[in-house]
Amino acid sequence: MTTQVEAIHGVIFDLDGTLVSSELDFSLIKAQIGCPDNEDLLDFIAQLPSPYMREEAMNIVHQHELLDAQHATLLPGVSEAIALLNERNIPMAIVTRNFDKAAALKLKNNPLPISTVLTRSDAPAKPDPSALNAIATLWNISADNLLYVGDYLYDIQAAHNASMRACLYAPNETPPYADQADYVLHDFYDLVALVESYSKKVELC
């Protein structure tokens, strides 16, 4: 049986833990707003019973995100890999669960040649595929030809919800959900070889 693998014409990235470092303590944040540890933070806040409670909870999250943004640094191999993809005219974008001000601060302190950035201020948070779909539309590129790179389960789910291929970045331990990703990277620099290997349609027997 012959399976046709589509070329990769564009790459979309997660931000925290993928392009830049993050030290957000989600257990602490959840404790401060009363969110059970096994629930999604943003979903919990959205379901709080009053606008005041939602605003207060989100203010706490914003404070943590902005503090984290001040200390974020580019992760190993990111600058070099992004530069090489840019040289090859591969469109690139960022989709993050951060809010806009935190994402902007991280990218101001760690400049990258990526101008398209969508945050949860712009579209529903991952694993909702809305932001990924919007970028596919913006670029006029089929989802089959796009790769989403991230370091967490939500990234894999968002990619698949958008009918894109999912690349899990796991520089340290390989998480149990890694088998749900289409590709797993342990070294960010290997992303360039991955994209180049699909620069043309490849047929695998």
Side-chain angles (χ1 to χ4, degrees), residues 40-98:
D40 179 80
L41 181 63
L42 298 180
D43 286 346
F44 174 81
I45 293 174
Q47 294 167 14
L48 288 172
S50 76
Y52 174 77
M53 293 174 70
R54 292 192 291 272
E55 182 180 358
E56 287 298 297
M58 196 56 76
N59 283 339
I60 291 172
V61 175
H62 287 169
Q63 290 170 15
H64 281 275
E65 287 181 309
L66 287 171
L67 182 61
D68 183 61
Q70 294 174 26
H71 304 290
T73 58
L74 287 174
L75 292 173
V78 167
S79 181
E80 296 85 354
I82 296 296
L84 287 172
L85 292 176
N86 192 47
E87 287 175 10
R88 288 155 175 76
N89 296 315
I90 300 293
M92 291 178 285
I94 293 170
V95 170
T96 174
R97 279 170 62 102
N98 269 298

Side-chain angles (χ1 to χ4, degrees), residues 106-174:
K106 289 183 176 184
L107 293 169
K108 178 183 177 182
N109 293 340
N110 302 281
L112 291 168
I114 301 176
S115 58
T116 302
V117 180
L118 294 182
T119 71
R120 70 167 187 269
S121 307
D122 305 304
K126 299 172 293 184
D128 188 292
S130 298
L132 299 184
N133 292 335
I135 291 170
T137 300
L138 175 68
W139 288 346
N140 194 26
I141 296 177
S142 169
D144 292 339
N145 298 113
L146 295 177
L147 179 71
Y148 186 63
V149 183
D151 69 318
Y152 188 58
L153 176 61
Y154 288 159
D155 301 311
I156 299 172
Q157 293 172 335
H160 290 163
N161 288 341
S163 299
M164 298 178 187
R165 274 170 281 175
C167 178
L168 178 70
Y169 178 51
N172 301 312
E173 295 182 7
T174 302

